[in-house]
Amino acid sequence: ETTNACGSCPRNTFTLSGATSIDDCTPCQNSGEYAKPGSGYCEKCPQYEEFDDLTGGCVCMTSFDRIGGTCTCKDGFTLMGTSCSPCELGKWKNESGVTSCTRCEDTLKGGITEFEGSMSQSSCICPRGFYDGGEGKCVEVKEGMNSEEVGMKLESVFLDPGFWRTNEKSEEVRECPIPDACIGGNETNVCREGHKGHYCATCKDGYSMDPFQVCKKCTATVVDSVLTVVAVVLVVVLVLGLNYLMKKKFGREAKGKTVL
């Protein structure tokens, strides 16, 4: 018995008038188009999305993320061609979207980023051999400043051993009269242990300066005091003994000359 019952076209096919068999359904013709079962037309996924056979719906294309209901590029990424790519070295982006990344050069002349995909302006730093002087540009390091550190700012400049500066805002670096007293480093640690003050030339409380002008921790104890006293006594005894022997010797010689 013949029937005229209509059937539903399967997924990704359509018909405008209904179908009695799959042969009456027309496949979607254009790339990226899809149709739900029983659909009378094919439709295209939203921008940066593609049809997923497994889920039967649209999903974000590779490299895109669904943010706020739409597929777009995440922070630190920008649209390059048909996909999201990380911001290049020397650039950053702190919001989602397909807009371009911002150049470090626009806010910090000579600035770089250490990695691709930077997500904030704070990622812009000065390269080796330079420091951020706080005026929107990278400044070449001066003698006594470490030239191997990356991302230095004026207030955190690393000094080479043997150099010192008055404070963390000063660009004037001076050579220490006592090189061993200045160990280098940044503003939190430029003096050798036990040293302080201008040029690190003063000893802290509890320290005393040795013959080489290096501050050493005071270690006076009862034992040290006793040994010091004993040493002094021995020196006195030695001096007195030598004095006695010399007098005795010269006394004999004088007596012998008188007899003759």
Side-chain angles (χ1 to χ4, degrees):
E1 182 180 349
T2 303
T3 65
N4 294 320
C6 293
S8 296
C9 287
R11 181 187 299 169
N12 294 336
T13 62
F14 73 100
T15 180
L16 296 176
S17 56
T20 56
S21 69
I22 292 179
D23 293 337
D24 295 328
C25 299
T26 304
C28 293
Q29 300 297 311
N30 299 317
S31 175
E33 289 185 337
Y34 73 99
K36 295 179 180 179
S39 180
Y41 60 90
C42 290
E43 57 185 312
K44 207 170 181 61
C45 286
Q47 191 174 28
Y48 309 130
E49 297 185 35
E50 58 188 1
F51 184 76
D52 180 50
D53 288 324
L54 186 63
T55 62
C58 295
V59 297
C60 291
M61 297 171 64
T62 302
S63 81
F64 289 85
D65 289 88
R66 190 171 295 281
I67 301 173
T70 59
C71 294
T72 188
C73 299
K74 61 184 180 180
D75 294 14
F77 283 71
T78 187
L79 184 66
M80 297 285 285
T82 57
S83 62
C84 293
S85 298
C87 293
E88 301 169 313
L89 291 175
K91 296 182 179 181
W92 59 278
K93 182 166 167 279
N94 63 352
E95 59 183 6
S96 59
V98 295
T99 54
S100 301
C101 301
T102 302
R103 300 188 315 156
C104 289
E105 191 74 20
D106 294 341
T107 53
L108 180 63
K109 189 174 181 180
I112 63 167
T113 57
E114 287 192 89
F115 310 102
E116 294 182 335
S118 295
M119 296 183 290
S120 70
Q121 184 178 340
S122 61
S123 299
C124 296
I125 59 176
C126 292
R128 287 183 178 86
F130 293 82
Y131 65 92
D132 182 354
E135 298 180 352
K137 63 180 180 180
C138 293
V139 182
E140 189 172 3
V141 296
K142 297 172 174 56
E143 182 183 6
M145 293 181 177
N146 191 297
S147 60
E148 295 301 319
E149 292 290 332
V150 178
M152 290 195 300
K153 294 184 177 182
L154 177 59
E155 59 269 23
S156 59
V157 162
F158 276 76
L159 301 182
D160 290 330
F163 289 87
W164 175 86
R165 61 177 178 161
T166 54
N167 59 71
E168 67 273 12
K169 295 295 184 180
S170 175
E171 292 185 296
E172 184 180 357
V173 178
R174 304 174 184 176
E175 193 169 356
C176 294
I178 308 172
D180 288 341
C182 303
I183 61 173
N186 59 17
E187 80 284 0
T188 61
N189 182 27
V190 295
C191 293
R192 184 189 184 104
E193 182 182 357
H195 288 256
K196 66 176 183 177
H198 289 334
Y199 298 102
C200 302
T202 305
C203 291
K204 293 181 179 179
D205 292 342
Y207 288 79
S208 61
M209 193 167 287
D210 69 9
F212 301 100
Q213 296 183 301
V214 175
C215 296
K216 295 294 182 67
K217 195 167 186 177
C218 299
T219 57
T221 62
V222 175
V223 175
D224 292 331
S225 299
V226 171
L227 291 175
T228 301
V229 171
V230 170
V232 171
V233 170
L234 288 175
V235 171
V236 171
V237 170
L238 181 60
V239 171
L240 292 176
L242 288 174
N243 187 49
Y244 171 76
L245 291 174
M246 293 295 290
K247 284 184 177 181
K248 188 174 180 181
K249 178 180 179 181
F250 288 123
R252 286 178 178 175
E253 291 179 354
K255 187 175 179 181
K257 289 179 179 179
T258 302
V259 174
L260 295 173

